[in-house]
Amino acid sequence: MLGTSYALPVQERDLYKTYDGYRVIRIFPRNQEEIQYLHGLAERLCEVMKSPLYPGGPMDVMCSTNKTNEFKSILNKSIETKKRRNSRKEKKAKMNWDDYQRYETIVIWMKKTAKENPSFIKLIKMGRSVEGRGIFGLKIGNSPLGTETRAVWIDGGIHAREWIAISTSTYIIKKLIDTFSSEQTSDPVIQSVDWYIAPLLNPDGYEYTHTNKRLWRKNRREPPVGDKKNCYGVDLNRNFGTTGFGIGASTRTCSEVYWGTAENSEPETKAAEKTILKYKNNIRVYITFHSYGQSWLTSWGYTSDLPEDYDKLYTLARRGADASELVNPKREYIVGAGGAALYLAGGATDDWAKIEAEIPYSYTVELPTKKSFVVDPAEIIPIGEELWAAMREMAIEAANTPLGKDKRLKEVKA
Protein backbone atom coordinates (compact mmCIF):
# COMPACT_ATOMS: atom_id res chain seq x y z
CA MET A 1 0.00 0.00 0.00
CA LEU A 2 2.80 2.42 0.95
CA GLY A 3 5.05 3.42 -1.90
CA THR A 4 7.32 6.24 -0.76
CA SER A 5 6.44 8.83 1.83
CA TYR A 6 7.77 12.14 3.02
CA ALA A 7 6.78 14.76 5.54
CA LEU A 8 6.61 18.49 4.98
CA PRO A 9 6.14 21.21 7.57
CA VAL A 10 2.97 23.07 6.76
CA GLN A 11 3.20 26.84 6.76
CA GLU A 12 0.63 28.99 8.47
CA ARG A 13 -2.41 29.30 6.18
CA ASP A 14 -4.27 32.24 7.73
CA LEU A 15 -4.36 34.61 10.66
CA TYR A 16 -6.79 32.57 12.72
CA LYS A 17 -5.07 29.19 12.93
CA THR A 18 -1.50 28.07 12.66
CA TYR A 19 -0.46 24.62 11.52
CA ASP A 20 2.86 24.53 13.26
CA GLY A 21 3.87 20.93 13.84
CA TYR A 22 1.36 19.55 11.35
CA ARG A 23 2.78 17.15 8.82
CA VAL A 24 1.70 16.01 5.39
CA ILE A 25 2.07 12.32 4.65
CA ARG A 26 2.09 11.25 1.01
CA ILE A 27 0.82 7.74 0.26
CA PHE A 28 0.46 5.82 -3.00
CA PRO A 29 -2.62 3.55 -2.75
CA ARG A 30 -2.57 0.80 -5.39
CA ASN A 31 -6.31 0.21 -5.88
CA GLN A 32 -9.78 1.55 -5.07
CA GLU A 33 -10.05 -0.60 -1.97
CA GLU A 34 -6.94 1.03 -0.52
CA ILE A 35 -8.14 4.51 -1.52
CA GLN A 36 -11.44 3.99 0.31
CA TYR A 37 -9.68 2.60 3.37
CA LEU A 38 -7.28 5.56 3.55
CA HIS A 39 -10.10 8.09 3.12
CA GLY A 40 -11.94 6.57 6.05
CA LEU A 41 -8.83 6.48 8.24
CA ALA A 42 -7.77 10.03 7.30
CA GLU A 43 -11.19 11.53 7.84
CA ARG A 44 -11.32 9.97 11.30
CA LEU A 45 -7.89 11.17 12.43
CA CYS A 46 -6.54 13.76 10.01
CA GLU A 47 -7.53 15.60 6.84
CA VAL A 48 -7.28 14.60 3.18
CA MET A 49 -5.45 17.35 1.33
CA LYS A 50 -5.28 15.62 -2.05
CA SER A 51 -7.03 12.54 -3.38
CA PRO A 52 -5.43 10.38 -6.06
CA LEU A 53 -6.87 10.76 -9.52
CA TYR A 54 -6.14 7.07 -10.23
CA PRO A 55 -4.85 4.02 -8.36
CA GLY A 56 -1.12 4.42 -7.86
CA GLY A 57 -1.36 8.21 -7.78
CA PRO A 58 -0.35 10.30 -4.73
CA MET A 59 -2.66 10.90 -1.81
CA ASP A 60 -1.73 13.66 0.69
CA VAL A 61 -2.99 13.46 4.26
CA MET A 62 -2.35 16.23 6.81
CA CYS A 63 -2.20 15.29 10.48
CA SER A 64 -1.69 17.26 13.67
CA THR A 65 1.25 16.51 15.94
CA ASN A 66 -0.94 14.40 18.21
CA LYS A 67 -2.48 12.38 15.37
CA THR A 68 0.56 11.88 13.11
CA ASN A 69 2.03 8.97 15.08
CA GLU A 70 -1.39 7.35 15.59
CA PHE A 71 -2.16 7.55 11.87
CA LYS A 72 1.23 6.09 10.95
CA SER A 73 0.92 3.33 13.54
CA ILE A 74 -2.52 2.22 12.31
CA LEU A 75 -1.38 2.44 8.70
CA ASN A 76 1.77 0.37 9.32
CA LYS A 77 -0.22 -2.27 11.22
CA SER A 78 -2.65 -2.46 8.31
CA ILE A 79 0.22 -2.93 5.88
CA GLU A 80 1.74 -5.74 7.97
CA THR A 81 -1.63 -7.45 8.35
CA LYS A 82 -2.16 -7.35 4.59
CA LYS A 83 1.33 -8.73 4.00
CA ARG A 84 0.66 -11.66 6.32
CA ARG A 85 -2.72 -12.29 4.69
CA ASN A 86 -1.18 -12.25 1.22
CA SER A 87 1.59 -14.56 2.41
CA ARG A 88 -0.98 -17.05 3.67
CA LYS A 89 -2.92 -16.83 0.41
CA GLU A 90 0.26 -17.36 -1.58
CA LYS A 91 1.20 -20.39 0.49
CA LYS A 92 -2.30 -21.77 0.15
CA ALA A 93 -2.33 -21.22 -3.60
CA LYS A 94 1.07 -22.85 -4.04
CA MET A 95 0.91 -26.63 -4.38
CA ASN A 96 1.88 -28.38 -1.17
CA TRP A 97 0.91 -31.41 0.87
CA ASP A 98 0.53 -29.71 4.23
CA ASP A 99 -3.14 -29.22 3.45
CA TYR A 100 -5.77 -30.15 0.87
CA GLN A 101 -5.59 -28.11 -2.32
CA ARG A 102 -8.39 -26.69 -4.44
CA TYR A 103 -9.05 -27.61 -8.06
CA GLU A 104 -7.42 -24.52 -9.54
CA THR A 105 -4.22 -24.95 -7.54
CA ILE A 106 -3.94 -28.58 -8.62
CA VAL A 107 -4.51 -27.86 -12.30
CA ILE A 108 -2.09 -24.93 -12.39
CA TRP A 109 0.54 -27.15 -10.77
CA MET A 110 -0.07 -29.99 -13.24
CA LYS A 111 0.28 -27.65 -16.21
CA LYS A 112 3.39 -26.08 -14.71
CA THR A 113 5.11 -29.41 -14.04
CA ALA A 114 4.38 -30.59 -17.58
CA LYS A 115 5.79 -27.38 -19.03
CA GLU A 116 8.91 -27.54 -16.87
CA ASN A 117 9.60 -31.24 -17.58
CA PRO A 118 8.76 -31.83 -21.26
CA SER A 119 11.27 -34.67 -21.57
CA PHE A 120 9.25 -37.02 -19.37
CA ILE A 121 5.85 -35.40 -18.64
CA LYS A 122 2.93 -34.87 -20.99
CA LEU A 123 -0.31 -33.11 -20.03
CA ILE A 124 -3.41 -35.02 -21.13
CA LYS A 125 -6.62 -33.06 -21.69
CA MET A 126 -9.15 -35.75 -20.93
CA GLY A 127 -12.37 -33.75 -21.27
CA ARG A 128 -14.66 -31.44 -19.32
CA SER A 129 -17.06 -31.84 -16.42
CA VAL A 130 -20.78 -31.10 -16.30
CA GLU A 131 -20.02 -27.53 -15.22
CA GLY A 132 -17.24 -27.12 -17.77
CA ARG A 133 -14.12 -27.63 -15.68
CA GLY A 134 -11.22 -29.29 -17.41
CA ILE A 135 -10.31 -32.85 -16.44
CA PHE A 136 -6.58 -33.49 -16.79
CA GLY A 137 -4.11 -36.30 -16.49
CA LEU A 138 -0.35 -36.60 -16.72
CA LYS A 139 1.73 -39.16 -18.55
CA ILE A 140 5.02 -39.49 -16.70
CA GLY A 141 7.83 -41.59 -18.13
CA ASN A 142 10.43 -42.03 -20.84
CA SER A 143 8.81 -45.02 -22.59
CA PRO A 144 12.08 -47.03 -22.51
CA LEU A 145 10.58 -49.75 -24.73
CA GLY A 146 8.84 -47.34 -27.08
CA THR A 147 5.33 -48.44 -27.97
CA GLU A 148 5.85 -51.65 -25.99
CA THR A 149 6.45 -49.88 -22.69
CA ARG A 150 4.09 -51.13 -20.03
CA ALA A 151 2.18 -48.63 -17.88
CA VAL A 152 0.36 -48.12 -14.60
CA TRP A 153 -2.81 -46.03 -14.42
CA ILE A 154 -3.88 -44.19 -11.23
CA ASP A 155 -6.92 -42.01 -10.70
CA GLY A 156 -8.56 -40.32 -7.73
CA GLY A 157 -11.37 -38.05 -6.71
CA ILE A 158 -14.24 -39.71 -8.53
CA HIS A 159 -16.13 -39.32 -5.25
CA ALA A 160 -15.96 -35.66 -4.29
CA ARG A 161 -15.72 -36.00 -0.51
CA GLU A 162 -12.72 -38.33 -0.60
CA TRP A 163 -10.09 -35.60 -0.46
CA ILE A 164 -7.30 -37.95 0.60
CA ALA A 165 -7.66 -39.77 -2.75
CA ILE A 166 -6.81 -36.58 -4.64
CA SER A 167 -3.90 -35.64 -2.38
CA THR A 168 -2.46 -39.17 -2.56
CA SER A 169 -2.64 -39.10 -6.37
CA THR A 170 -0.85 -35.75 -6.53
CA TYR A 171 1.70 -36.89 -3.96
CA ILE A 172 2.60 -39.85 -6.17
CA ILE A 173 2.96 -37.43 -9.09
CA LYS A 174 5.40 -35.44 -6.95
CA LYS A 175 7.42 -38.57 -6.09
CA LEU A 176 7.51 -39.61 -9.75
CA ILE A 177 8.80 -36.18 -10.75
CA ASP A 178 11.53 -36.47 -8.13
CA THR A 179 12.44 -39.92 -9.42
CA PHE A 180 12.58 -39.04 -13.11
CA SER A 181 14.24 -35.65 -12.73
CA SER A 182 17.33 -36.51 -10.72
CA GLU A 183 19.99 -39.20 -10.88
CA GLN A 184 20.28 -39.13 -7.10
CA THR A 185 16.64 -40.15 -6.68
CA SER A 186 16.31 -42.30 -9.79
CA ASP A 187 14.86 -45.80 -9.52
CA PRO A 188 15.14 -48.17 -12.49
CA VAL A 189 12.08 -50.11 -11.36
CA ILE A 190 9.84 -47.04 -11.28
CA GLN A 191 11.37 -45.81 -14.53
CA SER A 192 10.87 -49.11 -16.35
CA VAL A 193 7.20 -48.25 -16.96
CA ASP A 194 5.10 -45.22 -17.89
CA TRP A 195 2.64 -43.72 -15.44
CA TYR A 196 -0.76 -42.24 -16.26
CA ILE A 197 -2.30 -40.29 -13.38
CA ALA A 198 -5.63 -38.45 -13.32
CA PRO A 199 -5.84 -37.09 -9.78
CA LEU A 200 -9.28 -35.46 -9.94
CA LEU A 201 -12.02 -37.07 -12.03
CA ASN A 202 -14.89 -35.17 -10.39
CA PRO A 203 -13.79 -31.52 -10.20
CA ASP A 204 -17.29 -30.02 -9.83
CA GLY A 205 -18.20 -32.21 -6.90
CA TYR A 206 -14.82 -31.62 -5.30
CA GLU A 207 -15.20 -27.84 -5.46
CA TYR A 208 -18.72 -28.18 -4.06
CA THR A 209 -17.32 -29.98 -1.01
CA HIS A 210 -15.11 -26.94 -0.39
CA THR A 211 -17.83 -24.32 -0.83
CA ASN A 212 -21.15 -25.90 0.15
CA LYS A 213 -21.27 -29.43 1.52
CA ARG A 214 -18.17 -31.23 2.79
CA LEU A 215 -19.57 -34.76 2.42
CA TRP A 216 -21.00 -34.39 -1.09
CA ARG A 217 -20.24 -37.54 -3.12
CA LYS A 218 -21.63 -37.24 -6.66
CA ASN A 219 -20.97 -34.93 -9.58
CA ARG A 220 -23.11 -31.81 -10.06
CA ARG A 221 -25.44 -32.96 -12.81
CA GLU A 222 -28.70 -30.98 -12.76
CA PRO A 223 -31.85 -32.95 -11.88
CA PRO A 224 -33.48 -34.76 -14.81
CA VAL A 225 -36.42 -33.01 -16.45
CA GLY A 226 -39.54 -33.66 -14.41
CA ASP A 227 -37.71 -34.71 -11.26
CA LYS A 228 -39.97 -33.32 -8.54
CA LYS A 229 -37.41 -33.73 -5.76
CA ASN A 230 -34.90 -31.53 -7.59
CA CYS A 231 -31.92 -33.68 -6.54
CA TYR A 232 -28.54 -33.00 -8.13
CA GLY A 233 -25.74 -35.34 -9.06
CA VAL A 234 -24.85 -38.76 -10.44
CA ASP A 235 -22.61 -41.25 -8.68
CA LEU A 236 -19.88 -41.49 -11.30
CA ASN A 237 -18.67 -44.78 -9.84
CA ARG A 238 -22.00 -46.37 -10.77
CA ASN A 239 -22.19 -44.83 -14.24
CA PHE A 240 -19.64 -46.90 -16.20
CA GLY A 241 -21.21 -49.08 -18.84
CA THR A 242 -20.06 -52.60 -18.12
CA THR A 243 -21.25 -55.97 -16.88
CA GLY A 244 -23.24 -55.50 -13.69
CA PHE A 245 -24.33 -51.93 -14.42
CA GLY A 246 -27.13 -51.05 -12.00
CA ILE A 247 -26.21 -53.57 -9.32
CA GLY A 248 -25.74 -51.83 -5.99
CA ALA A 249 -26.98 -48.58 -7.54
CA SER A 250 -30.27 -46.69 -7.47
CA THR A 251 -32.70 -45.14 -9.91
CA ARG A 252 -33.66 -42.51 -7.30
CA THR A 253 -32.02 -39.18 -8.09
CA CYS A 254 -31.63 -38.28 -4.41
CA SER A 255 -29.71 -41.47 -3.66
CA GLU A 256 -25.96 -41.30 -3.01
CA VAL A 257 -25.58 -44.14 -5.54
CA TYR A 258 -27.87 -42.78 -8.27
CA TRP A 259 -26.61 -44.34 -11.50
CA GLY A 260 -27.71 -41.60 -13.93
CA THR A 261 -30.12 -41.59 -16.82
CA ALA A 262 -28.11 -44.18 -18.78
CA GLU A 263 -24.77 -45.96 -18.94
CA ASN A 264 -21.91 -43.53 -19.56
CA SER A 265 -24.31 -40.59 -19.39
CA GLU A 266 -21.82 -38.27 -17.68
CA PRO A 267 -19.01 -36.31 -19.36
CA GLU A 268 -16.64 -37.21 -16.53
CA THR A 269 -17.30 -40.91 -17.18
CA LYS A 270 -16.76 -40.48 -20.91
CA ALA A 271 -13.51 -38.55 -20.35
CA ALA A 272 -12.06 -41.32 -18.19
CA GLU A 273 -13.19 -44.10 -20.54
CA LYS A 274 -11.88 -42.40 -23.68
CA THR A 275 -8.45 -41.78 -22.14
CA ILE A 276 -8.00 -45.23 -20.65
CA LEU A 277 -9.11 -46.95 -23.86
CA LYS A 278 -6.54 -44.94 -25.80
CA TYR A 279 -3.71 -46.45 -23.73
CA LYS A 280 -5.29 -49.75 -22.69
CA ASN A 281 -2.89 -51.93 -24.64
CA ASN A 282 -0.03 -50.65 -22.48
CA ILE A 283 -1.77 -50.20 -19.13
CA ARG A 284 -1.12 -53.38 -17.17
CA VAL A 285 -2.24 -52.20 -13.74
CA TYR A 286 -5.26 -50.00 -13.03
CA ILE A 287 -5.65 -48.36 -9.59
CA THR A 288 -8.42 -46.07 -8.41
CA PHE A 289 -8.00 -44.37 -5.05
CA HIS A 290 -10.97 -44.03 -2.70
CA SER A 291 -11.60 -43.64 0.98
CA TYR A 292 -12.16 -44.80 3.55
CA GLY A 293 -11.50 -48.36 4.68
CA GLN A 294 -7.79 -49.17 4.43
CA SER A 295 -8.12 -52.00 1.93
CA TRP A 296 -7.04 -53.27 -1.49
CA LEU A 297 -10.09 -54.54 -3.37
CA THR A 298 -9.87 -56.77 -6.44
CA SER A 299 -12.49 -57.69 -9.01
CA TRP A 300 -15.35 -58.27 -8.98
CA GLY A 301 -17.43 -55.48 -7.56
CA TYR A 302 -20.74 -56.37 -9.20
CA THR A 303 -20.91 -59.92 -7.82
CA SER A 304 -19.69 -61.88 -4.83
CA ASP A 305 -18.26 -64.51 -7.20
CA LEU A 306 -14.48 -64.44 -7.53
CA PRO A 307 -12.84 -63.95 -10.93
CA GLU A 308 -10.97 -66.92 -12.34
CA ASP A 309 -7.66 -65.08 -11.97
CA TYR A 310 -8.33 -64.05 -8.37
CA ASP A 311 -5.13 -65.65 -7.10
CA LYS A 312 -2.89 -63.42 -9.20
CA LEU A 313 -4.98 -60.33 -8.35
CA TYR A 314 -4.81 -61.12 -4.65
CA THR A 315 -1.08 -61.81 -4.74
CA LEU A 316 -0.17 -58.44 -6.26
CA ALA A 317 -2.59 -56.56 -3.98
CA ARG A 318 -1.04 -58.29 -0.98
CA ARG A 319 2.41 -57.25 -2.14
CA GLY A 320 1.22 -53.66 -2.38
CA ALA A 321 -0.39 -53.76 1.05
CA ASP A 322 2.71 -55.35 2.58
CA ALA A 323 4.91 -52.62 1.11
CA SER A 324 2.69 -49.98 2.69
CA GLU A 325 2.70 -51.74 6.02
CA LEU A 326 6.51 -51.80 6.02
CA VAL A 327 6.41 -48.00 5.88
CA ASN A 328 3.86 -47.85 8.68
CA PRO A 329 3.63 -51.11 10.67
CA LYS A 330 0.79 -49.65 12.75
CA ARG A 331 -1.46 -49.58 9.69
CA GLU A 332 -3.04 -52.81 8.46
CA TYR A 333 -4.54 -53.09 4.98
CA ILE A 334 -7.22 -55.67 4.20
CA VAL A 335 -7.07 -57.46 0.85
CA GLY A 336 -10.05 -59.11 -0.84
CA ALA A 337 -12.57 -59.02 -3.68
CA GLY A 338 -14.82 -55.96 -3.53
CA GLY A 339 -18.17 -57.69 -3.96
CA ALA A 340 -17.31 -60.56 -1.65
CA ALA A 341 -15.53 -58.57 1.06
CA LEU A 342 -17.68 -55.43 1.22
CA TYR A 343 -20.82 -54.87 -0.85
CA LEU A 344 -21.96 -55.14 -4.46
CA ALA A 345 -21.21 -52.16 -6.69
CA GLY A 346 -21.86 -52.43 -10.42
CA GLY A 347 -20.92 -49.82 -12.99
CA ALA A 348 -17.70 -48.94 -11.16
CA THR A 349 -14.34 -48.09 -12.68
CA ASP A 350 -12.49 -51.18 -11.45
CA ASP A 351 -14.84 -53.69 -13.12
CA TRP A 352 -15.01 -51.52 -16.25
CA ALA A 353 -11.21 -51.37 -16.49
CA LYS A 354 -10.89 -55.15 -16.29
CA ILE A 355 -13.86 -56.11 -18.47
CA GLU A 356 -14.07 -53.36 -21.10
CA ALA A 357 -10.47 -52.10 -21.20
CA GLU A 358 -9.13 -55.64 -20.64
CA ILE A 359 -6.47 -54.49 -18.17
CA PRO A 360 -5.02 -57.54 -16.37
CA TYR A 361 -4.81 -56.03 -12.88
CA SER A 362 -7.55 -53.74 -11.60
CA TYR A 363 -7.91 -52.45 -8.04
CA THR A 364 -9.88 -50.10 -5.86
CA VAL A 365 -7.67 -48.95 -3.01
CA GLU A 366 -9.63 -47.65 -0.03
CA LEU A 367 -7.16 -45.37 1.68
CA PRO A 368 -6.78 -44.82 5.43
CA THR A 369 -8.32 -44.17 7.81
CA LYS A 370 -10.92 -46.70 8.90
CA LYS A 371 -13.10 -44.06 10.52
CA SER A 372 -14.02 -41.14 8.30
CA PHE A 373 -13.94 -39.43 4.93
CA VAL A 374 -12.49 -36.43 6.74
CA VAL A 375 -8.79 -37.17 7.15
CA ASP A 376 -6.48 -34.89 9.12
CA PRO A 377 -4.16 -32.99 6.73
CA ALA A 378 -1.27 -34.21 8.89
CA GLU A 379 -1.94 -37.67 7.40
CA ILE A 380 -1.51 -36.59 3.77
CA ILE A 381 2.23 -37.18 3.54
CA PRO A 382 2.33 -40.36 5.70
CA ILE A 383 -0.44 -41.95 3.60
CA GLY A 384 1.28 -40.75 0.44
CA GLU A 385 4.51 -42.42 1.52
CA GLU A 386 2.70 -45.68 2.26
CA LEU A 387 1.11 -45.82 -1.18
CA TRP A 388 4.28 -44.68 -2.90
CA ALA A 389 6.01 -47.77 -1.49
CA ALA A 390 3.23 -49.93 -2.95
CA MET A 391 3.67 -48.39 -6.40
CA ARG A 392 7.08 -50.02 -6.76
CA GLU A 393 5.39 -53.41 -6.55
CA MET A 394 2.88 -52.31 -9.19
CA ALA A 395 5.71 -51.23 -11.47
CA ILE A 396 7.52 -54.57 -11.11
CA GLU A 397 4.40 -56.51 -12.09
CA ALA A 398 3.39 -54.16 -14.89
CA ALA A 399 6.85 -54.36 -16.47
CA ASN A 400 6.64 -58.14 -16.58
CA THR A 401 3.08 -58.50 -17.86
CA PRO A 402 2.55 -59.07 -21.61
CA LEU A 403 0.89 -56.35 -23.66
CA GLY A 404 -2.70 -56.57 -24.80
CA LYS A 405 -5.61 -58.52 -23.43
CA ASP A 406 -4.95 -60.93 -20.57
CA LYS A 407 -5.28 -64.28 -22.36
CA ARG A 408 -5.75 -66.10 -19.07
CA LEU A 409 -9.14 -64.44 -18.57
CA LYS A 410 -12.14 -65.62 -20.55
CA GLU A 411 -14.72 -63.13 -21.79
CA VAL A 412 -17.07 -61.99 -19.04
CA LYS A 413 -20.74 -61.91 -19.94
CA ALA A 414 -23.70 -60.56 -18.02
Side-chain angles (χ1 to χ4, degrees):
M1 183 185 295
L2 210 53
T4 60
S5 65
Y6 62 86
L8 295 174
V10 178
Q11 303 298 321
E12 182 172 319
R13 301 293 185 186
D14 52 53
L15 300 174
Y16 302 101
K17 181 178 181 180
T18 66
Y19 289 85
D20 292 342
Y22 277 67
R23 301 182 72 81
V24 173
I25 302 170
R26 174 161 286 184
I27 309 161
F28 295 88
R30 295 173 299 185
N31 52 52
Q32 285 298 133
E33 180 184 1
E34 292 182 356
I35 292 172
Q36 291 174 4
Y37 170 79
L38 287 167
H39 264 284
L41 180 62
E43 288 169 2
R44 180 159 56 90
L45 298 174
C46 306
E47 182 179 353
V48 177
M49 302 297 292
K50 179 181 180 180
S51 291
L53 299 176
Y54 50 85
M59 179 176 185
D60 292 341
V61 177
M62 183 175 68
C63 300
S64 68
T65 303
N66 295 335
K67 296 296 183 181
T68 297
N69 290 336
E70 184 180 357
F71 180 87
K72 285 184 175 180
S73 176
I74 294 174
L75 183 58
N76 287 332
K77 285 181 180 177
S78 175
I79 292 169
E80 289 304 313
T81 299
K82 189 162 187 177
K83 283 181 179 178
R84 288 194 297 271
R85 190 183 301 122
N86 289 340
S87 178
R88 287 195 297 269
K89 284 182 179 179
E90 184 178 349
K91 183 178 180 182
K92 185 177 181 181
K94 186 177 180 181
M95 189 67 184
N96 67 81
W97 290 266
D98 297 324
D99 205 347
Y100 295 102
Q101 306 304 316
R102 298 287 290 273
Y103 165 81
E104 185 176 2
T105 300
I106 294 169
V107 170
I108 289 173
W109 173 71
M110 290 175 69
K111 291 179 178 179
K112 183 172 179 283
T113 56
K115 187 175 181 179
E116 291 176 347
N117 302 281
S119 63
F120 63 89
I121 299 181
K122 176 186 176 183
L123 183 73
I124 302 172
K125 298 177 181 179
M126 297 170 60
R128 291 197 173 273
S129 66
V130 165
E131 294 181 344
R133 291 183 175 89
I135 301 171
F136 298 95
L138 291 178
K139 178 200 172 189
I140 304 175
N142 293 315
S143 300
L145 298 179
T147 58
E148 295 191 353
T149 302
R150 280 65 165 170
V152 176
W153 173 282
I154 299 169
D155 63 54
I158 197 168
H159 285 152
R161 63 193 175 193
E162 298 167 12
W163 292 5
I164 192 65
I166 295 104
S167 66
T168 301
S169 300
T170 59
Y171 189 80
I172 288 175
I173 291 173
K174 173 188 178 297
K175 298 296 284 189
L176 286 169
I177 293 170
D178 293 342
T179 302
F180 279 88
S181 63
S182 172
E183 289 187 4
Q184 279 117 359
T185 54
S186 65
D187 183 338
V189 171
I190 294 293
Q191 292 170 280
S192 67
V193 298
D194 289 332
W195 299 81
Y196 294 94
I197 306 183
L200 184 45
L201 292 181
N202 181 7
D204 300 343
Y206 182 63
E207 279 299 293
Y208 192 72
T209 63
H210 282 276
T211 59
N212 292 74
K213 188 177 180 181
R214 174 62 182 88
L215 295 181
W216 183 259
R217 168 184 170 102
K218 302 183 284 183
N219 74 351
R220 293 297 297 161
R221 167 67 72 185
E222 293 183 352
V225 176
D227 180 44
K228 296 180 180 179
K229 293 188 176 180
N230 199 40
C231 289
Y232 277 69
V234 170
D235 182 353
L236 297 175
N237 209 39
R238 299 294 185 275
N239 189 241
F240 283 72
T242 189
T243 303
F245 177 79
I247 296 174
S250 175
T251 58
R252 294 183 298 108
T253 57
C254 295
S255 170
E256 291 273 56
V257 291
Y258 172 54
W259 61 358
T261 56
E263 296 181 0
N264 310 320
S265 62
E266 303 310 293
E268 298 91 343
T269 305
K270 293 173 183 176
E273 289 185 348
K274 178 189 70 174
T275 309
I276 293 170
L277 289 174
K278 183 177 180 179
Y279 304 108
K280 73 169 192 172
N281 192 57
N282 298 85
I283 298 170
R284 304 293 81 202
V285 178
Y286 170 87
I287 295 172
T288 181
F289 286 141
H290 285 253
S291 78
Y292 56 97
Q294 229 162 273
S295 54
W296 282 70
L297 302 176
T298 76
S299 308
W300 304 115
Y302 76 93
T303 176
S304 58
D305 294 341
L306 299 179
E308 61 186 81
D309 59 347
Y310 177 72
D311 288 346
K312 73 158 191 178
L313 295 172
Y314 177 90
T315 298
L316 180 57
R318 187 69 263 170
R319 283 164 53 191
D322 288 346
S324 293
E325 291 170 4
L326 283 175
V327 175
N328 184 359
K330 294 181 181 179
R331 199 109 68 189
E332 181 180 355
Y333 288 82
I334 298 168
V335 176
L342 291 183
Y343 49 79
L344 300 184
T349 60
D350 49 5
D351 282 354
W352 179 90
K354 191 161 179 63
I355 297 170
E356 309 301 328
E358 301 174 337
I359 297 171
Y361 294 91
S362 180
Y363 300 105
T364 291
V365 179
E366 296 283 358
L367 297 166
T369 65
K370 291 183 177 180
K371 298 179 180 179
S372 174
F373 294 112
V374 181
V375 181
D376 189 328
E379 288 278 13
I380 293 174
I381 293 176
I383 292 172
E385 287 291 331
E386 291 170 34
L387 272 297
W388 172 241
M391 293 306 102
R392 201 168 191 276
E393 296 301 320
M394 302 303 111
I396 291 171
E397 192 64 32
N400 289 283
T401 300
L403 296 176
K405 180 180 177 180
D406 188 351
K407 295 181 174 58
R408 291 175 290 178
L409 187 63
K410 296 176 183 177
E411 183 179 357
V412 177
K413 296 183 178 179

